Amino acid sequence: MFQTMPLWPARASSMANNVDALYIFLLVVSGMMTLLIFIMVVFFAVRYRKRPGHHAEQIDGSHALEITWSVIPFFVFMVFFGWGAWIYFQERKPPQNAAEVYTVAKQWMWKFEHMEGQREINELHVPIGRDVKMIMTSQDVIHSFFVPAFRIKQDVLPGRYTVAWFHPTKAGTYHLYCAEYCGTQHSGMVGSVVVMEPKDYEAWMGGGGNQPLAVTGERLFSELGCITCHRADTQGRGPTLAGIYNKPVLLEDGRTVTADDNYLRESILQPTAKVVNGFKPIMPTFQGQISDEQLNALVAYVKSLGQQPSGQTGGKSIAAARPQTE
Amino acid sequence: MSEHVSSLKLYIGIWITLLIGTVLTVVVAKIPLGPFNAVVALSIATIKATLVVLFFMHVKYTHEKLTRVVIISALCWLAILLALSMADYATRLW
Amino acid sequence: MATAVIETGERETYLNKEYGIKSWLLTVDHKRIALLYLMGITFFFFIGGFFALLIRLELLTPAGDLVQADTYNKLFTMHGQIMVFFFLIPAVPAVLGNFLIPIMIGAKDLAFPRINLLSWYLYMIAGVMMLYTIINGGVDTGWTFYTPLSTEFLNTHVISAGLSIFVAGFSSILTGLNFVVTTHRMRAPGMTWSRLPLFVWAHYATSIIQLLGTPVLAITLVLVVAERLFHLGIFNPALGGDPLLFQHLFWFYSHPAVYIMILPGMGIVSEIVCCFSRKRVFGYQAMALALLGIAVVGFLVWAHHMFVAGISLYAALIFSILSYFVAVPSAIKVFNWTSTMYKGSISYQTPMLYAFGFIGLFTMGGLTGLFLASLGIDVHVTDTYFVVAHFHYIMVGGMVMAYLGGMHFWWPKISGKLYPEAWGRLAALLVFVGFNLTFFPQFVLGYMGMPRRYWDYSHSPEYQILNVLSTAGATVLAVGYLLPMVYFLWSMRYGKPAPDNPWNAAGLEWKIPSPPSTYNFEEQPVVTWEAYNYDELDKRAEEVPVAH
Amino acid sequence: MHTSPPATVEGVAHENPALLHHFATEEQQKNAANLGMWVFLATEIMFFGGMFFAYLVYRYWYFGDFGAGSQSMNVTLGGTNTAVLICSSLTVALAVRAAQLGKQKMIVVCLILTMLLGLVFLGIKGVEYHDKFVEHHVPGPSFYFPGHVPGHVNIPINQQHAQIFFSLYFIMTGLHALHMIIGVGLFAFITLHAMRGRYHPNYYTPVETAGLYWHFVDIIWIYLFPLLYLIDRSQ
Ligand code: HEA
Ligand code: HEA
Ligand code: CUA
Ligand SMILES: [Cu+2]
């Protein structure tokens, strides 16, 4: 009836060890604190129990003690804080060379698009040993991408991209959950992450015959007519898009912003929200006309434009993100 | 304890100052000062509000420190709400 | 003054002064209003508990078999909303606070008796609106109302639920307003700030939060309702809005609100621990300052509920470190209660058993709060059962225990009757055991990764055993909660009459008859002693033995 | 409801029928009412504060569109309304003064003036709302707000962002107007009492506390006016 009952989640990413270490540290420290307090309560309750001839001894308090038990816990807390913050920064700052997987969440499923063009629903295949960066958005409400075995979680918001990344270390099939309540089938919005040995992964990959995402984007780019304004030379009515990813852009109203994923997304959906300096706001909005998947392909394409062979700009496919040391 | 009764003159004076402040706000808004337009507008508003609180609402004459504490803490709490949440909005793109 | 003989039915008390429905529904006596509140709050506790039992039954098996998915979502939503807004936030302030604060400071009533009655009516109107919502099919937003789910995607009764909480919020604001003004203006001669019982200090701190936090919730709910009706876009990213704005506004209230839920309990525990250790509280000043400290610093940490929501990394750092600041005064309190027992003369009556439970379980709940405030851990455990276990440890293990402890402690004063002590101890034990059995397994579940608000976990059946334990615990807990309900009612009729001061406790409330008369004091009391003067009391008790 | 004093209270003579049973002295009662109103106003600051927060966020994000929305406001009407409210604050202050000095007639006159000014304010607000309605500036399906961002002919107005501006405009001014209506109601009640001569130099707490409330509503408007009407006007 009951399957095996583990009491600890699998440890399948580089982050899992860090998180578990901190967790165990917290368990030990707070376990000791709890024990200390339990023991004191029980000991006092027994030792000073009410009995004939025994009187309470009035004690007003002690400043020295008050200070001790504020300052010592405070320093312990700062360790909790610092360690936690350190892990958080690692969790939140994806490495430069991470492979990218575009993710669209909707009530109640997960859609993944690899840069190579593979599409998956509720299942995500990744190889061991690569950094994988999830670029995620939602079509409707807030969801949350949660893989306990990776100790990773990130809310997926409508209207913008959020990012999560991980580095799988152990082959296996792991739970993927939606962790933010999102309506009726919230608990049905589950799936799995399959971590494979690189060669199995290659085999799985080869099966598809898919078009890489950026190629799909390129096709869309001409189908939707983007190409008429955004030409490779500087003669178009719109700015040339080559190499703009992650570069600063000067806007018409004098501000400067970085052309990150969210900026590209907004530029396509709400072109007038941030107009590029020196251009007319003639670009039509594509909101409601293209799906989130198409949008992702366009963004992936724009990012791939003008990317140097060794370059740091564009998004990477999992295959291209192979670490040098492998 | 007798309550402080302010003179008619004072009330009229404050009233006129407030009206002048209003005109001033409108006039200054038309002068291009960049982001300082907002600063000036809000400063004038704050001066007006202070006058109302001190003289019309008699805070200047009350012996009760508590009233001041209540006002100041409400403003501090508003500042907490605005400052800490803007800490998020201002640094989201970093 | 304190006559050992009770002439039941002869002396005029607040209970027998007038009879009839009208004399209750139009009363402005804070004690009667407290009892009115008690009825409403008990009612909602059992409704909320009933939903909790259904939740637990559903989770007994991995498959979603007992109720439909939508029904389950409504169950936890209404469980959360009722328990938070209709039970725990008003529970101690509106019942015990209302009853005791005027008496403890030597006043005849709260500063604004009619506003006090008004806030009860608002509470009831809100309650009726909530019942209307439930009967009409309920609401399934989660107690947190996250947008755009709540504003654009659900077609349940979000508006009536939102407005009901809006009204309940005003009831809470008015209670807080009354307490603040009463504490400032109505203290008897000699009742200086440094002589106030910690119970009053705790309510004063609570009131600050109610006053400065609740209005923000009110405006947030107004915006949610407006958004839902007119699709303005303020919280809707599809229309240019920011869903995180909603979360900021919501948690700006709802984090401090968790301290509305715990501070009054801390007040109760201070009274109980002192009385049953026969000691002055250890570090009175530190205790009072810690209460205020929690109330103030509690306003600086709200975004720790949003660490994975997409806020700025740097803001997350700020909110994480500030969350640790608020834990320091909590630590002070725990250590001071423990030290108060040192060299005391401790007896184990029911209220004290609950206080023991509170200290232990609040510590565990609080310490797991520190896990959550640690950014790296929170990413993994947020929105899992770890969080559910954390807050039930504080709210049920801490606050409900404190509430029950307080009810037992002051029941003789409120009703004029003694409750059966043996049954009391049994119930306390059941609650403690049942509680731990219910919620401890959830910590493990949470770290394993079981997400909260899951109706069905058939894809991960390995969670079942722990869930079975949890459900079993909840049944024990249910019995533990039903018992006091039964024997309190029983004691009202059959209980032994209570002496004025059954515990030989300090505090003005024990110097007047049980139950008190309408105006509490025959003559204006003048306070000449410090709070918790147990050595004097015990010396006097040795000279004149009290009927015990 | 419960005005009859209990027989048991210590020897204080109850000449003043307005002294409630649970207060020892008139001063205590007055101080309690005064503090109560101030504390209530503190909650009001946070109530409007939530709106100011939403306003701040979107003004920061969508400054241009907010500027455009703001420029469609009628500054003359808004400015006039500011002046009207300031005048009403004066009349309230004078009403309190009249009560302090025991000038019965004067209290009534000042209060009636205040209410009139309040109604004028609401009337003008109504005109402005009506204009917005006619111009299709009311958020909803028929919302339409063409044009460009002030100072940038190149940047057209984003309809959604402008709609957020107008939503905030209507909610903030609407809640403010609701406070005005409540204030007028309060004063109507107090005027009736004043006509019966219930207020005198020893007892005028209701006039005073209602006055505090009115001044507060005035202060909110003092901020709303520049925030909503005067964004980026220099362009
Ligand atoms: C009464 C209610 C209550 C109280 C008092 C608290 C108290 C605390 N809470 Fe909790 N919390 C909730 C109710 C409460 N909480 C609820 C309802 C939620 C979930 C809401 C939802 O999403 O539905 C929540 C969620 C929640 C989260 C978000 C989790 C998430 O969703 O990701 C966090 C994160 O920081 C947190 C932290 C804390 C902290 C640091 C405290 C601190 O105040 C605790 C301080 C106390 C102690 C620390 C114990 C005593 C100290 C010692 C004995 C010191 C000695 C120790 C050492 C030296 C190590 N809480
Ligand atoms: C004060 C607050 C409070 C209290 C007291 C409780 C009490 C309990 N809670 Fe609850 N709980 C919350 C606040 C509270 N809870 C909140 C805020 C949430 C989050 C909601 C959300 O996610 O939106 C939550 C969520 C929550 C969940 C998670 C649901 C999910 O995420 O899917 C669970 C699951 O076990 C649970 C269980 C319980 C149990 C077993 C009790 C027990 O302690 C209850 C014991 C009481 C009884 C059992 C009553 C006994 C009465 C009877 C038996 C009589 C029968 C009644 C009638 C005939 C009318 N609660
Ligand atoms: Cu998607 Cu929960
Ligand atoms: Cu919190």
Side-chain angles (χ1 to χ4, degrees):
Chain A
M1 178 180 172
F2 301 120
Q3 304 201 340
T4 50
M5 193 191 76
L7 291 177
W8 203 269
R11 218 179 272 163
S13 80
S14 57
M15 207 56 69
N17 292 320
N18 286 342
V19 175
D20 281 1
L22 174 55
Y23 183 66
I24 291 168
F25 173 72
L26 285 169
L27 278 181
V28 170
V29 174
S30 41
M32 278 171 11
M33 273 330 287
T34 315
L35 213 64
L36 177 78
I37 288 175
F38 273 42
I39 290 177
M40 286 207 302
V41 169
V42 172
F43 177 75
F44 292 161
V46 176
R47 170 73 177 71
Y48 303 112
R49 70 189 174 280
K50 181 176 184 162
R51 48 188 192 270
H54 168 79
H55 285 285
E57 195 175 305
Q58 299 301 326
I59 307 165
D60 260 3
S62 145
H63 286 298
L65 274 178
E66 301 292 349
I67 290 169
T68 315
W69 58 53
S70 326
V71 172
I72 293 180
F74 180 77
F75 283 112
V76 178
F77 297 163
M78 286 305 101
V79 177
F80 295 179
F81 162 73
W83 192 341
W86 178 70
I87 294 182
Y88 186 71
F89 262 70
Q90 289 180 312
E91 274 167 345
R92 296 286 113 160
K93 293 257 180 205
Q96 283 286 325
N97 259 312
E100 294 181 349
V101 177
Y102 281 86
T103 306
V104 178
K106 58 174 268 193
Q107 284 177 330
W108 291 277
M109 61 158 84
W110 296 98
K111 294 192 273 189
F112 302 106
E113 295 175 276
H114 295 261
M115 294 303 282
E116 289 88 346
Q118 264 83 0
R119 286 149 180 272
E120 303 187 65
I121 287 187
N122 291 345
E123 229 179 44
L124 175 66
H125 288 78
V126 288
I128 292 185
R130 311 277 165 75
D131 298 332
V132 181
K133 173 175 163 190
M134 314 293 296
I135 301 180
M136 308 182 287
T137 187
S138 159
Q139 255 168 262
D140 35 49
V141 302
I142 304 176
H143 304 273
S144 191
F145 178 82
F146 178 31
V147 183
F150 296 164
R151 312 287 187 276
I152 199 80
K153 187 182 289 117
Q154 171 62 51
D155 281 9
V156 181
L157 301 170
R160 74 180 241 218
Y161 287 120
T162 51
V163 168
W165 81 276
F166 52 83
H167 182 99
T169 54
K170 208 170 104 197
T173 303
Y174 305 105
H175 291 302
L176 158 67
Y177 295 125
C178 172
E180 183 64 63
Y181 173 61
C182 55
T184 310
Q185 283 300 335
H186 164 57
S187 59
M189 194 163 158
V190 296
S192 42
V193 178
V194 184
V195 178
M196 306 166 99
E197 295 293 343
K199 54 180 187 310
D200 299 337
Y201 180 73
E202 232 91 300
W204 175 82
M205 209 49 173
N210 287 290
Q211 233 174 19
L213 197 58
V215 175
T216 315
E218 185 171 16
R219 205 192 63 233
L220 282 167
F221 201 73
S222 53
E223 276 174 14
L224 292 168
C226 318
I227 192 102
T228 54
C229 298
H230 296 287
R231 307 201 325 217
D233 51 36
T234 46
Q235 306 305 310
R237 288 188 292 164
T240 168
L241 300 179
I244 63 162
Y245 181 59
N246 265 345
K247 295 278 152 53
V249 180
L250 181 63
L251 299 183
E252 179 72 21
D253 58 10
R255 286 179 294 164
T256 306
V257 295
T258 307
D260 57 6
D261 292 86
N262 269 318
Y263 170 79
L264 296 180
R265 180 190 166 87
E266 189 186 30
S267 292
I268 299 169
L269 296 180
Q270 306 254 344
T272 61
K274 299 200 173 84
V275 178
V276 181
N277 187 33
F279 289 89
K280 296 226 153 42
I282 46 167
M283 174 167 162
T285 170
F286 287 87
Q287 189 157 45
Q289 314 195 7
I290 54 176
S291 68
D292 274 297
E293 284 86 348
Q294 290 176 313
L295 183 60
N296 288 340
L298 284 170
V299 171
Y301 170 64
V302 173
K303 284 161 71 175
S304 75
L305 281 174
Q307 186 185 321
Q308 311 304 315
S310 65
Q312 304 289 307
T313 39
K316 296 246 169 7
S317 66
I318 287 185
R322 179 172 311 163
Q324 268 80 9
T325 50
E326 206 179 78
Chain B
M1 185 186 91
S2 69
E3 286 291 321
H4 178 90
V5 183
S6 308
S7 72
L8 207 58
K9 251 213 229 123
L10 179 75
Y11 279 137
I12 305 281
I14 299 294
W15 174 62
I16 291 176
T17 319
L18 291 174
L19 289 179
I20 294 175
T22 308
V23 177
L24 205 64
T25 320
V26 177
V27 173
V28 173
K30 308 249 154 111
I31 307 169
L33 297 172
F36 288 99
N37 274 116
V39 176
V40 173
L42 288 179
S43 307
I44 298 179
T46 306
I47 294 172
K48 285 162 74 182
T50 315
L51 289 178
V52 173
V53 169
L54 287 182
F55 296 100
F56 283 179
M57 297 168 94
H58 294 198
V59 169
K60 179 144 202 294
Y61 307 108
T62 167
H63 327 276
E64 196 59 75
K65 284 200 203 77
L66 196 56
T67 317
R68 266 163 249 204
V69 174
V70 171
I71 301 170
I72 290 171
S73 38
L75 293 178
C76 286
W77 255 256
L78 182 60
I80 293 174
L81 171 62
L82 299 181
L84 277 179
S85 45
M86 285 326 271
D88 170 22
Y89 283 91
T91 63
R92 246 187 228 174
L93 297 175
W94 286 12
Chain C
M1 186 172 41
T3 40
V5 192
I6 310 291
E7 315 100 312
T8 348
E10 280 173 33
R11 193 174 56 82
E12 186 182 271
T13 73
Y14 82 103
L15 287 172
N16 66 13
K17 179 160 196 261
E18 287 169 287
Y19 291 98
I21 293 276
K22 235 176 93 185
S23 76
W24 283 89
L25 291 185
L26 295 181
T27 180
V28 288
D29 180 353
H30 64 104
K31 297 178 290 300
R32 285 194 164 204
I33 295 174
L35 289 194
L36 291 176
Y37 260 117
L38 177 62
M39 288 184 247
I41 277 156
T42 311
F43 173 76
F44 279 111
F45 174 68
F46 280 99
I47 298 279
F50 176 65
F51 290 152
L53 284 184
L54 290 180
I55 293 177
R56 283 314 329 160
L57 279 178
E58 170 59 62
L59 295 175
L60 198 56
T61 58
D65 37 19
L66 180 71
V67 295
Q68 299 290 306
D70 278 327
T71 315
Y72 182 82
N73 295 344
K74 288 173 186 166
L75 284 177
F76 69 68
T77 300
M78 295 180 310
H79 166 68
Q81 286 173 348
I82 286 180
M83 285 301 200
V84 168
F85 296 108
F86 294 92
F87 171 63
L88 208 56
I89 286 183
V92 174
V95 178
L96 292 171
N98 223 335
F99 195 99
L100 293 164
I101 287 179
I103 310 185
M104 283 183 165
I105 64 173
K108 294 198 193 78
D109 204 325
L110 288 172
F112 309 115
R114 276 179 273 182
I115 289 186
N116 194 20
L117 183 64
L118 173 66
S119 74
W120 180 73
Y121 272 103
L122 287 177
Y123 172 78
M124 290 312 282
I125 292 170
V128 169
M129 287 164 75
M130 186 41 86
L131 289 179
Y132 164 88
T133 309
I134 296 173
I135 292 166
N136 256 282
V139 53
D140 57 351
T141 53
W143 82 280
T144 46
F145 282 103
Y146 272 19
T147 57
L149 179 68
S150 65
T151 50
E152 307 293 331
F153 288 87
L154 297 174
N155 42 24
T156 48
H157 299 269
V158 181
I159 294 181
S160 64
L163 291 179
S164 126
I165 291 169
F166 177 84
V167 176
F170 275 96
S171 154
S172 173
I173 292 178
L174 292 181
T175 305
L177 190 143
N178 231 329
F179 286 177
V180 164
V181 176
T182 305
T183 317
H184 273 287
R185 295 287 189 241
M186 310 289 286
R187 279 172 288 123
M191 181 51 91
T192 59
W193 286 93
S194 59
R195 286 176 179 166
L196 280 185
L198 287 171
F199 182 85
V200 180
W201 270 109
H203 279 81
Y204 184 77
T206 310
S207 305
I208 294 178
I209 308 177
Q210 287 175 308
L211 288 169
L212 293 169
T214 321
V216 178
L217 176 74
I219 190 72
T220 311
L221 290 168
V222 169
L223 289 177
V224 166
V225 170
E227 178 88 33
R228 204 174 152 84
L229 289 174
F230 308 114
H231 306 286
L232 306 174
I234 296 178
F235 296 140
N236 184 2
L239 296 177
D242 181 18
L244 295 190
L245 175 66
F246 169 83
Q247 297 179 20
H248 276 298
L249 284 167
F250 180 83
W251 290 115
F252 180 83
Y253 165 75
S254 292
H255 179 80
V258 309
Y259 299 115
I260 299 181
M261 296 185 247
I262 198 72
L263 293 177
M266 295 176 160
I268 292 177
V269 169
S270 304
E271 302 296 316
I272 295 178
V273 168
C274 290
C275 174
F276 293 97
S277 306
R278 314 303 307 161
K279 270 191 66 186
R280 179 173 164 75
V281 69
F282 191 90
Y284 174 89
Q285 221 179 15
M287 289 295 259
L289 283 176
L291 289 166
L292 292 180
I294 295 175
V296 173
V297 184
F299 273 96
L300 306 177
V301 311
W302 73 86
H304 67 202
H305 297 268
M306 301 163 64
F307 286 157
V308 302
I311 58 169
S312 135
L313 281 186
Y314 303 91
L317 280 188
I318 299 175
F319 282 104
S320 169
I321 197 166
L322 289 172
S323 300
Y324 286 105
F325 288 9
V326 81
V328 172
S330 306
I332 295 180
K333 299 212 70 92
V334 171
F335 291 121
N336 278 317
W337 286 317
T338 317
S339 310
T340 303
M341 290 167 58
Y342 177 66
K343 299 213 166 162
S345 169
I346 298 167
S347 50
Y348 314 132
Q349 269 94 341
T350 312
M352 189 61 165
L353 296 186
Y354 280 111
F356 287 148
F358 175 96
I359 296 175
L361 300 179
F362 169 74
T363 302
M364 290 179 69
L367 287 169
T368 50
L370 300 179
F371 287 48
L372 295 170
S374 178
L375 289 156
I377 302 289
D378 186 65
V379 169
H380 176 55
V381 292
T382 181
D383 277 320
T384 66
Y385 266 84
F386 193 92
V387 176
V388 175
H390 154 67
F391 65 74
H392 283 94
Y393 257 80
I394 299 194
M395 303 207 292
V396 184
M399 188 58 176
V400 178
M401 286 248 177
Y403 172 67
L404 286 174
M407 282 308 293
H408 285 83
F409 189 53
W410 283 292
W411 183 253
K413 184 57 61 187
I414 294 173
S415 68
K417 296 294 170 63
L418 294 174
Y419 65 85
E421 185 63 36
W423 284 102
R425 291 183 193 180
L426 176 69
L429 191 70
L430 278 180
V431 170
F432 186 80
V433 172
F435 172 81
N436 282 294
L437 189 55
T438 314
F439 293 106
F440 195 82
Q442 296 186 359
F443 282 125
V444 185
L445 274 175
Y447 198 74
M448 282 167 68
M450 177 165 173
R452 60 191 283 206
R453 298 170 170 178
Y454 262 31
W455 160 67
D456 158 299
Y457 54 99
S458 39
H459 41 83
S460 7
E462 68 268 25
Y463 299 151
Q464 188 174 9
I465 289 194
L466 291 166
N467 272 298
V468 171
L469 288 180
S470 181
T471 304
T475 14
V476 179
L477 197 51
V479 179
Y481 286 143
L482 277 172
L483 269 181
M485 167 90 181
V486 173
Y487 62 70
F488 276 150
L489 284 175
W490 174 88
S491 77
M492 270 163 48
R493 211 185 157 95
Y494 306 103
K496 272 192 271 171
D500 293 353
N501 192 351
W503 317 113
N504 192 18
L508 275 175
E509 77 270 30
W510 301 109
K511 295 195 187 301
I512 59 172
S514 309
S517 63
T518 299
Y519 295 111
N520 302 339
F521 299 97
E522 298 303 314
E523 43 193 279
Q524 172 83 287
V526 178
V527 181
T528 54
W529 57 89
E530 304 299 312
Y532 313 113
N533 51 340
Y534 279 103
D535 51 345
E536 278 171 48
L537 278 175
D538 282 349
K539 273 190 209 114
R540 218 177 305 148
E542 268 171 24
E543 287 151 21
V544 193
V546 197
H548 211 103
Chain D
M1 244 173 297
H2 227 300
T3 36
S4 58
T8 50
V9 186
E10 69 283 13
V12 182
H14 286 85
E15 310 115 32
N16 184 353
L19 181 64
L20 296 173
H21 70 85
H22 56 294
F23 289 110
T25 62
E26 283 160 14
E27 194 187 328
Q28 188 189 31
Q29 174 168 351
K30 183 180 160 65
N31 284 341
N34 200 283
L35 178 62
M37 182 46 87
W38 277 107
V39 170
F40 176 72
L41 295 183
T43 71
E44 288 274 37
I45 290 183
M46 292 312 287
F47 185 74
F48 281 98
M51 298 289 330
F52 282 121
F53 169 33
Y55 169 89
L56 182 62
V57 167
Y58 290 120
R59 179 182 158 133
Y60 170 66
W61 276 8
Y62 306 141
F63 184 73
D65 306 297
F66 266 48
S70 172
Q71 311 223 329
S72 78
M73 298 288 153
N74 188 331
V75 181
T76 319
L77 290 185
T80 312
N81 250 351
T82 315
V84 168
L85 266 192
I86 288 174
C87 295
S88 77
S89 253
L90 175 71
T91 54
V92 170
L94 293 180
V96 175
R97 186 170 181 273
Q100 287 175 325
L101 299 174
K103 300 186 183 163
Q104 299 290 344
K105 268 236 187 68
M106 188 69 179
I107 308 181
V108 177
V109 172
C110 285
L111 287 179
I112 289 181
L113 268 178
T114 309
M115 286 189 288
L116 282 179
L117 287 167
L119 293 175
V120 169
F121 177 94
L122 289 169
I124 294 183
K125 200 80 237 154
V127 172
E128 287 189 76
Y129 278 5
H130 179 256
D131 290 349
K132 294 283 130 202
F133 192 76
V134 172
E135 296 163 43
H136 291 284
H137 292 175
V138 180
S142 64
F143 181 78
Y144 182 57
F145 192 61
H148 61 80
V149 167
H152 299 279
V153 262
N154 248 346
I155 310 181
I157 292 168
N158 182 308
Q159 295 299 302
Q160 295 180 346
H161 304 169
Q163 173 164 310
I164 291 184
F165 172 79
F166 283 102
S167 304
L168 289 172
Y169 165 78
F170 277 104
I171 297 179
M172 290 168 101
T173 56
L175 285 175
H176 178 264
L178 183 69
H179 278 77
M180 299 280 301
I181 293 170
I182 293 173
V184 171
L186 273 177
F187 279 137
F189 186 73
I190 290 171
T191 312
L192 281 182
H193 282 282
M195 284 171 166
R196 295 199 198 119
R198 276 202 48 192
Y199 306 123
H200 46 81
N202 283 330
Y203 176 73
Y204 56 92
T205 312
V207 189
E208 198 184 11
T209 41
L212 290 178
Y213 172 83
W214 191 266
H215 291 305
F216 172 80
V217 177
D218 181 19
I219 289 176
I220 291 290
W221 184 260
I222 287 180
Y223 281 95
L224 286 184
F225 176 59
L227 288 179
L228 294 171
Y229 287 72
L230 300 177
I231 307 173
D232 220 12
R233 277 278 172 184
S234 60
Q235 296 293 342

